Amino acid sequence: MMIIKTDEEVELIRKSSMLVSATLAEVAKNIKIGGNGLKLDRLAEEFIRDHGALPAFKGLYGCPSTLLISVNEAVVHGLPTAKEFTEGDILSIDTGAVLNGYYGDSAYTFCLGEINDKVRKLVEVTYKSLYLGIEKAIHGNRVGDISHAIQNYCEVENKFACVRELVGHGLGKSLHEDPQVPNYGKKGTGPKLEKNLVIAIEPMINMGKRGVFTASDKWTVVTQDRLPSVHFEHTVKVGMDQAEILTSFEPIEKEIKMNKDVVQIN
Ligand code: MG
Ligand code: MG
């Protein structure tokens, strides 16, 4: 069942979403070659708690961390570790927060130092596909319109592959609500979108084949062909004439510009 939000609820989700974006900006400031995920996870948790909120993922379904950090061939759900980040790594960092009972959810892929051209292209295409999907989050459209926009751009136009096993989702008082928002599908199919429905749109795009598996840590989702994967995510409100993005990459990209170890792609 889809839960359409009141304007007041949307404002609460916006506050949570802005905190999530501020958290990812704080992470962006502290990413460095030679650094590691455990340090970033600690500071993200502290940042969220200092703002009167709770990490959304920690404890949910048994998740042990505040951030999910998926490096290179990891697609999503990577657990932070002490392994050092190295030049050429791409880090897909996903986090959520719950503030005043409402969730926000966002992810950003960071590029460390010089990355190769094909990886750069994958990052650019995934980033753009997120916004192409968001353009379709309009009252009267269907979920499949979002899905199709992402799939068409990534697979048909750019020959990358959309992961099938993991999808975007509604959110509000729970992190995961209806509807599911796949990154593949047909125009004009699926649940009808209504004004004030809030959804997380999150393309997970593989450089090679679309297949994935869960690693032995029982969390990290990895590409079967071990080629890189990229993930970007916004929390979005469906609007009458246009969607409204409740999270923001602006504070994150401001930090990236000032961080010599992270390369701005978009
Ligand atoms: Mg997320
Ligand atoms: Mg999500």
Side-chain angles (χ1 to χ4, degrees):
M1 188 194 65
M2 298 199 307
I3 304 167
I4 307 302
K5 274 65 187 180
T6 65
D7 289 344
E8 291 72 22
E9 288 182 300
V10 170
E11 289 317 306
L12 290 169
I13 299 171
R14 187 195 309 279
K15 286 203 173 81
S16 311
S17 297
M18 291 314 292
L19 176 59
V20 169
S21 300
T23 305
L24 286 174
E26 185 67 16
V27 168
K29 191 198 291 186
N30 288 282
I31 291 175
K32 48 176 180 273
I33 294 167
N36 69 59
L38 289 177
K39 285 183 194 163
L40 296 178
D41 189 61
R42 271 197 298 272
L43 75 88
E45 178 171 359
E46 205 174 281
F47 188 87
I48 289 170
R49 291 187 188 279
D50 283 350
H51 287 79
L54 292 172
F57 302 167
K58 198 170 185 172
L60 189 67
Y61 317 122
C63 177
S65 59
T66 295
L67 301 178
L68 292 166
I69 304 180
S70 307
V71 183
N72 300 332
E73 70 273 19
V75 179
V76 287
H77 301 172
L79 299 180
T81 72
K83 187 166 183 267
E84 282 189 8
F85 302 138
T86 59
E87 171 132 30
D89 280 347
I90 56 168
L91 316 178
S92 302
I93 304 189
D94 191 349
T95 197
V98 54
L99 178 65
N100 302 314
Y102 287 86
Y103 284 81
D105 189 7
S106 186
Y108 197 95
T109 296
F110 299 91
C111 301
L112 295 199
E114 284 306 309
I115 60 163
N116 78 48
D117 287 348
K118 195 155 184 211
V119 176
R120 171 181 285 264
K121 178 79 182 167
L122 178 66
V123 175
E124 283 170 1
V125 165
T126 307
Y127 189 100
K128 183 164 177 201
S129 78
L130 168 60
Y131 288 92
L132 292 173
I134 290 170
E135 277 179 19
K136 302 294 180 190
I138 296 171
H139 182 87
N141 275 358
R142 290 182 183 270
V143 168
D145 295 314
I146 298 172
S147 307
H148 177 266
I150 294 169
Q151 183 181 21
N152 188 61
Y153 185 66
C154 295
E155 291 193 346
V156 179
E157 291 185 33
N158 285 287
K159 310 296 176 218
F160 294 128
C162 302
V163 172
R164 305 296 200 266
E165 289 81 353
L166 299 135
V167 296
H169 49 94
L171 71 165
K173 281 186 180 170
S174 306
L175 180 62
H176 295 125
E177 297 180 354
D178 288 337
Q180 293 199 342
V181 185
N183 297 304
Y184 64 97
K186 290 192 171 65
K187 276 185 202 173
T189 64
K192 214 172 212 174
L193 300 171
E194 285 183 49
K195 179 179 177 281
N196 279 21
L197 177 68
V198 177
I199 51 177
I201 301 179
E202 48 180 317
M204 291 157 251
I205 310 300
N206 295 351
M207 178 183 284
K209 294 201 164 59
R210 72 186 199 207
V212 298
F213 70 100
T214 303
S216 56
D217 65 7
K218 299 206 163 58
W219 274 93
T220 314
V221 176
V222 182
T223 58
Q224 276 172 3
D225 58 16
R226 304 296 204 280
L227 289 172
S229 185
V230 170
H231 182 211
F232 286 98
E233 176 180 25
H234 271 312
T235 295
V236 171
K237 183 196 92 162
V238 174
M240 271 321 275
D241 306 306
Q242 66 174 38
E244 194 183 340
I245 304 173
L246 302 177
T247 41
S248 172
F249 290 158
E250 253 179 63
I252 301 168
E253 290 168 355
K254 225 170 107 185
E255 292 299 337
I256 290 175
K257 281 200 181 72
M258 291 186 291
N259 185 331
K260 64 173 176 47
D261 286 358
V262 184
V263 174
Q264 179 72 47
I265 298 292
N266 300 285

